[in-house]
Amino acid sequence: MVMGVNILIDLRTVTVSLMAAISALLLASSTVNAHTPPPHAKVYFINLVDGAVVKSPFKVEFGITGFGITPAGTVGKRRHTAGHHHLLVDVEKLPALDEALPRDAQHIHFDQGETETLLDLPAGWHRLQLLLGDEQHEPHEPPLVSDRITITVE
């Protein structure tokens, strides 16, 4: 009977050790992927399409699926599952994706979690693109970026 007790104790020890290892792995993977949007997440323009012709000023609506919107500077767990929009206007290439996004007329920040804006652009063609940023205005990994569209302002 002593042998049966040892086997029972060994199984309990293995079970506790296994549970601890699984917990550590789960914690590590959630930390590593803290700002990682799920594969199906995307940002997009709701009311504009490539080739649209508009009159200035015009409304631009931002869409997002599979991830959340939260103001810049948000703290706590919510910041790991959301971000805020940045509108890129006439930008030739994406800014550096491993640092805070620039703040200028071509990189417009929507720090309060806004999902639309009234944009006033001069006549001519313009390229627009959305890029989601985290609580410190850095793109997520991988970045949530919309297709770039070209519009004509009359």
Side-chain angles (χ1 to χ4, degrees):
M1 195 58 139
V2 172
M3 188 168 147
V5 171
N6 286 342
I7 291 173
L8 182 60
I9 291 171
D10 287 342
L11 284 177
R12 285 184 185 160
T13 303
V14 168
T15 302
V16 169
S17 297
L18 185 58
M19 288 174 64
I22 290 171
S23 295
L25 282 173
L26 288 174
L27 180 61
S29 68
S30 67
T31 302
V32 169
N33 296 323
H35 285 80
T36 302
H40 66 280
K42 67 178 187 169
V43 292
Y44 55 93
F45 293 101
I46 294 174
N47 66 324
L48 294 174
V49 295
D50 191 42
V53 177
V54 298
K55 291 185 182 193
S56 217
F58 58 97
K59 187 179 196 178
V60 183
E61 297 174 316
F62 319 137
I64 187 168
T65 58
F67 213 56
I69 293 294
T70 190
T74 296
V75 296
K77 290 182 180 181
R78 179 72 177 132
R79 69 189 174 96
H80 296 303
T81 59
H84 63 281
H85 290 290
H86 298 85
L87 178 60
L88 310 182
V89 179
D90 295 330
V91 172
E92 288 294 321
K93 65 178 188 166
L94 289 175
L97 299 176
D98 59 351
E99 57 188 51
L101 297 169
R103 184 182 294 266
D104 55 35
Q106 289 184 284
H107 304 85
I108 305 169
H109 292 234
F110 294 91
D111 297 342
Q112 300 305 309
E114 301 96 317
T115 57
E116 64 181 49
T117 191
L118 196 60
L119 198 56
D120 192 3
L121 294 175
W125 64 270
H126 297 278
R127 288 185 301 252
L128 304 177
Q129 192 167 26
L130 292 171
L131 177 58
L132 203 73
D134 68 10
E135 73 278 4
Q136 295 178 345
H137 307 283
E138 294 179 7
H140 295 82
E141 178 58 42
L144 278 181
V145 60
S146 73
D147 290 335
R148 184 165 46 179
I149 63 170
T150 300
I151 62 166
T152 302
V153 177
E154 293 185 329

